Amino acid sequence: MSFSGNVKKELCEQISPARHCQIAEISSIFALCGKLTIDKRSEHTLKLQTESSILAKKVFLLLKQVFSVSAELTTLSLAGKRKGKLYELFVPAEAVPDVLSACKLHSISAEGKEYAVLAAEAGITGKSCCKRSFLRGAFLVSGSVTDPKKAYHLEFTVNEEEAGVFLCETLRSLELDAKVIPRKSHFVVYIKEGEQIVDLLNIMGAHVALMEYENVRILKDMRNTINRKVNCEAANISKTAKAAARQLEDIQYIRDTIGFELLAEGLKEIALLRVEYPEASLKELGEMLHPPVGKSGVNHRLKRLCDIAEQHRPSQT
């Protein structure tokens, strides 16, 4: 099972103890994945379709616990490339008004005999605990999260812009930097920062997945830190080697042209040391001097030697 699948499996096992939180979760599930249908007798039936058996079971139990409703659950076999099974859950017509009213759902569009439904009032997420439950339900039917070993990305894909805006505002109210964008015929609400994805997993109650995600994130951060340090050290070594080679070239030019005898004693001493120890650092060269000299002092003397070499080189015109 994918990482995202494991998160959903864990969330399906979470049932909020408070009735208002259970209603908030039912609301988000039907808002993002439900349809309000009209049967031949012009009676309304609330329908949910999902390929997840554990989600269908959870919604069935929530409806039973909150509204004392025994929903009808049927199973269809999928053909073609998808294969597998499709689970359809129907809320009886007589219970639909109470469910819609309690969950603050209303129809927002009509296509033939099917009506999409959406959370109509922000009051359904008025409490912070209800926001947690609402987001948990939303993730179960429209969410996905990329395996942290590959990338940091969590998203909700919804059909209606209003649903995307509502989800985005709910996430932002919890100080999560969510954004919503159109993608083909859908709207995507996404979070791309690893630490915020961890926060959302915690908010929704996916604590096992959170620990796995955090462990991967910590290891990746450690590797990145180590790689940055190694690259930095490699760059410094390369820079030091190039500088030493340039200094050695200038010193050898002075030796072969004007000689060391005309140099001041301090410059002569550092020139001889650089020739003898071409790979030594400034600090190491300074410690060999009598008396010892700091890095800045060594660097100043070597720079003076480079200036002398430049002064005596024939000008290129």
Side-chain angles (χ1 to χ4, degrees):
M1 187 180 290
S2 67
F3 182 81
S4 193
N6 287 332
V7 173
K8 291 186 177 184
K9 182 176 182 297
E10 184 179 357
L11 293 180
C12 277
E13 297 169 356
Q14 301 290 327
I15 301 289
S16 299
R19 184 175 185 273
H20 50 81
C21 291
Q22 295 170 0
I23 290 175
E25 187 166 356
I26 295 172
S27 176
S28 64
I29 290 172
F30 277 106
L32 300 177
C33 192
K35 289 292 178 73
L36 188 64
T37 64
I38 303 176
D39 62 20
K40 295 179 180 179
R41 296 173 296 179
S42 296
E43 292 183 331
H44 291 79
T45 302
L46 196 56
K47 178 177 71 172
L48 176 73
Q49 287 185 331
T50 177
E51 295 179 32
S52 170
S53 61
I54 55 175
L55 175 58
K57 179 181 178 181
K58 179 173 188 176
V59 177
F60 182 91
L61 292 175
L62 283 172
L63 289 169
K64 184 74 173 177
Q65 186 169 334
V66 177
F67 299 105
S68 299
V69 169
S70 293
E72 179 186 348
L73 185 61
T74 61
T75 305
L76 304 174
S77 295
L78 295 173
K81 294 181 180 181
R82 293 174 66 183
K83 294 185 178 180
K85 294 181 179 180
L86 180 67
Y87 301 90
E88 288 190 331
L89 185 145
F90 296 88
V91 178
E94 62 273 14
V96 171
D98 289 341
V99 173
L100 293 179
S101 176
C103 294
K104 294 181 171 60
L105 296 170
H106 75 293
S107 60
I108 61 168
S109 63
E111 296 177 5
K113 291 187 176 181
E114 292 195 344
Y115 298 76
V117 291
L118 230 190
E121 301 176 25
I124 196 68
T125 55
K127 298 180 179 180
S128 59
C129 55
C130 291
K131 288 179 182 178
R132 294 170 179 265
S133 297
F134 188 90
L135 291 171
R136 179 165 57 244
F139 186 85
L140 284 172
V141 295
S142 66
S144 64
V145 56
T146 304
D147 189 324
K149 295 176 183 176
K150 299 177 181 178
Y152 298 146
H153 185 85
L154 183 147
E155 69 179 35
F156 301 83
T157 303
V158 299
N159 295 323
E160 305 290 339
E161 183 176 10
E162 184 177 342
V165 172
F166 186 84
L167 262 177
C168 193
E169 290 176 348
T170 302
L171 290 164
R172 287 176 179 174
S173 71
L174 296 169
E175 299 184 357
L176 297 173
D177 186 22
K179 294 179 176 62
V180 58
I181 57 169
R183 181 189 294 168
K184 295 183 180 179
S185 60
H186 299 87
F187 293 87
V188 177
V189 181
Y190 67 91
I191 297 174
K192 296 189 72 69
E193 208 280 315
E195 186 174 349
Q196 295 213 342
I197 293 174
V198 169
D199 290 341
L200 180 54
L201 291 175
N202 181 51
I203 286 170
M204 295 188 298
H207 302 301
V208 175
L210 180 155
M211 292 303 297
E212 181 181 347
Y213 200 99
E214 192 73 313
N215 287 339
V216 172
R217 198 170 70 91
I218 290 171
L219 286 174
K220 286 179 70 174
D221 288 347
M222 287 178 60
R223 290 195 191 101
N224 290 337
T225 299
I226 291 171
N227 287 339
R228 282 195 297 270
K229 288 183 177 180
V230 169
N231 291 338
C232 183
E233 289 177 3
N236 287 338
I237 291 172
S238 176
K239 183 178 178 182
T240 300
K242 289 179 180 178
R246 186 172 62 254
Q247 293 160 4
L248 188 59
E249 181 182 341
D250 289 336
I251 290 170
Q252 289 172 338
Y253 178 80
I254 293 172
R255 180 194 61 192
D256 297 340
T257 54
I258 63 175
F260 291 158
E261 292 76 13
L262 299 178
L263 297 176
E265 190 60 33
L267 295 181
K268 179 179 178 182
E269 187 179 9
I270 198 66
L272 291 171
L273 283 174
R274 175 51 87 195
V275 171
E276 187 175 357
Y277 303 100
E279 297 180 359
S281 66
L282 297 182
K283 181 180 178 181
E284 291 169 338
L285 289 174
E287 291 172 348
M288 297 178 196
L289 294 170
H290 302 286
V293 175
K295 289 171 60 177
S296 61
V298 173
N299 185 59
H300 176 73
R301 294 186 187 186
L302 289 171
K303 190 174 183 303
R304 284 284 298 118
L305 289 170
C306 292
D307 291 341
I308 292 171
E310 283 300 313
Q311 291 170 8
H312 287 80
R313 280 194 175 97
S315 59
Q316 297 179 354
T317 57

